[in-house]
Amino acid sequence: MSTHTERPLSLTAPSGIDRAAHHRLDEAWLAAAWSHPTTRVFVVSGGQVLIDDTPDGGTGIVMTPAFEAPVTETHRYFLGTDEDGVRYFALQKDSLPGRMDQSARPAGLREAGLLLNPRDAGLMVHAVALENWQRMHRFCSRCGERTVVAAAGHIRRCPGCGAEHYPRTDPAVIMLVTDEQDRALLGRQVHWPEGRFSTLAGFVEPGESIEQSVVREVWEEAGVRIGEVEYVASQPWPFPYSLMLGFNARAVSSEITVDGEEIQEARWFSREDYRAAIEAGEVLPPSGISIAARLVELWYGQPLPKGPSAV
């Protein structure tokens, strides 16, 4: 198995942001932080933020001082502070604000995550994850009462029964399966475009270890038995609120029987087969932002080949 690990995994690089969770319940501190002239604020809406080109040739989130930020009564989320003491907040709104200069553009994580520096990518992941959770969990699961935002966006409290609800993260396993010939097992989901092949994946079920989940998911989706399972890395994946747990797994059987419900097709690829299929345009690699791309790249041993349209 290759150990090609030079390129950092998208959305996981150290952001330099201290989340400073101990301040989330301190309303006086939060009010002072909001009023500070160095505080920076950005809007998140529908999983998108405004991004813009920066003077250094990069791309950054469009941020404003707090006094220029749109008004919101409740959906103001404290994200943390950087090493210079700058505080960062996100505002959840129904739409992104317009820009007078017309140079900014809305972007979701799949696009922005490949462009932003680690600080801005970390802030965006945090904000998008909170927004997704807030939009999906507005009512108490215990009594049905509408809940209210607390702890600077990190708790929803029920005024009816007093229950506190915390942001949800669903663990999911994603695995690069290889056989005794070191071929990779890649599959195409039913709703994917023709030729899109990636690693197998699935959610961890109640009462199940993550290793057990790897074995079960590969068997259910492809009919392949798994022996050794090795953890590789994790990646936040707020679509809407998952944590992807990446693995290498060694197959002890090779016959493929897809389930036909989630996986339409699955194939074993040697490195030579995989390169030739991509270069011929017959196979599309996984998205560059995803841990799936990194798992395949680790197996392949170098950056993934480009298709004919990218040459």
Side-chain angles (χ1 to χ4, degrees):
M1 188 70 63
S2 169
T3 57
H4 179 77
T5 58
E6 288 83 355
R7 189 164 59 87
L9 180 61
S10 297
L11 310 182
T12 63
S15 67
I17 298 295
D18 177 358
R19 294 196 173 197
H22 58 289
H23 288 309
R24 293 173 185 167
L25 295 171
D26 189 338
E27 294 298 336
W29 187 92
L30 291 170
W34 178 259
S35 301
H36 199 279
T38 65
T39 292
R40 289 296 176 264
V41 182
F42 63 93
V43 174
V44 58
S45 180
Q48 293 189 319
V49 302
L50 287 178
I51 63 174
D52 203 352
D53 298 331
T54 57
D56 62 2
T59 303
I61 296 176
V62 175
M63 301 189 195
T64 66
F67 65 83
E68 294 182 0
V71 176
T72 181
E73 295 181 358
T74 57
H75 293 283
R76 185 170 77 188
Y77 310 144
F78 172 59
L79 304 179
T81 65
D82 66 17
E83 60 184 9
D84 296 322
V86 176
R87 288 89 165 186
Y88 296 90
F89 288 82
L91 301 181
Q92 177 183 320
K93 303 289 287 183
D94 291 334
S95 62
L96 295 174
R99 292 277 290 174
M100 295 297 291
D101 57 18
Q102 300 298 313
S103 65
R105 61 191 186 275
L109 269 173
R110 285 184 171 88
E111 175 190 353
L114 293 171
L115 302 174
L116 297 175
N117 60 42
R119 185 203 68 181
D120 284 15
L123 290 169
M124 185 176 178
V125 169
H126 192 175
V128 168
L130 283 177
E131 184 208 19
N132 285 335
W133 172 68
Q134 293 280 357
R135 290 188 184 277
M136 299 286 286
H137 294 82
R138 292 177 292 177
F139 297 90
C140 180
S141 59
R142 181 184 293 176
C143 72
E145 185 78 17
R146 180 180 284 273
T147 55
V148 296
V149 179
H154 295 77
I155 294 176
R156 292 192 72 101
R157 288 201 178 105
C158 177
C161 68
E164 290 189 344
H165 304 278
Y166 294 84
R168 171 178 171 175
T169 298
D170 294 336
V173 293
I174 183 166
M175 41 277 176
L176 192 286
V177 178
T178 55
D179 66 1
E180 60 182 8
Q181 302 174 51
D182 209 23
R183 298 180 300 173
L185 176 64
L186 302 177
R188 184 172 69 83
Q189 291 190 17
V190 173
H191 62 275
W192 284 355
E194 191 72 26
R196 174 75 69 191
F197 280 83
S198 187
T199 52
L200 304 183
F203 288 105
V204 180
E205 293 190 346
E208 183 178 55
S209 72
I210 52 178
E211 292 84 2
Q212 290 170 334
S213 183
V214 170
V215 173
R216 175 185 55 76
E217 284 288 346
V218 176
W219 171 251
E220 289 178 354
E221 293 185 349
V224 172
R225 296 290 186 187
I226 294 299
E228 180 183 358
V229 174
E230 178 186 9
Y231 173 75
V232 177
S234 65
Q235 181 186 40
W237 198 247
F239 303 109
Y241 29 69
S242 297
L243 176 66
M244 303 301 293
L245 306 165
F247 291 86
N248 290 323
R250 181 67 76 175
V252 295
S253 67
S254 60
E255 183 176 350
I256 297 173
T257 306
V258 297
D259 62 3
E261 296 180 1
E262 293 187 53
I263 301 298
Q264 181 76 30
E265 181 183 2
R267 293 165 52 187
W268 291 106
F269 290 88
S270 69
R271 291 173 180 80
E272 294 75 18
D273 293 340
Y274 189 64
R275 181 182 65 253
I278 290 180
E279 291 177 348
E282 299 170 359
V283 166
L284 302 173
S287 166
I289 194 176
S290 72
I291 191 173
R294 181 51 43 80
L295 292 171
V296 175
E297 186 179 74
L298 288 170
W299 161 77
Y300 189 68
Q302 57 185 305
L304 298 183
K306 305 294 185 182
S309 62
V311 175

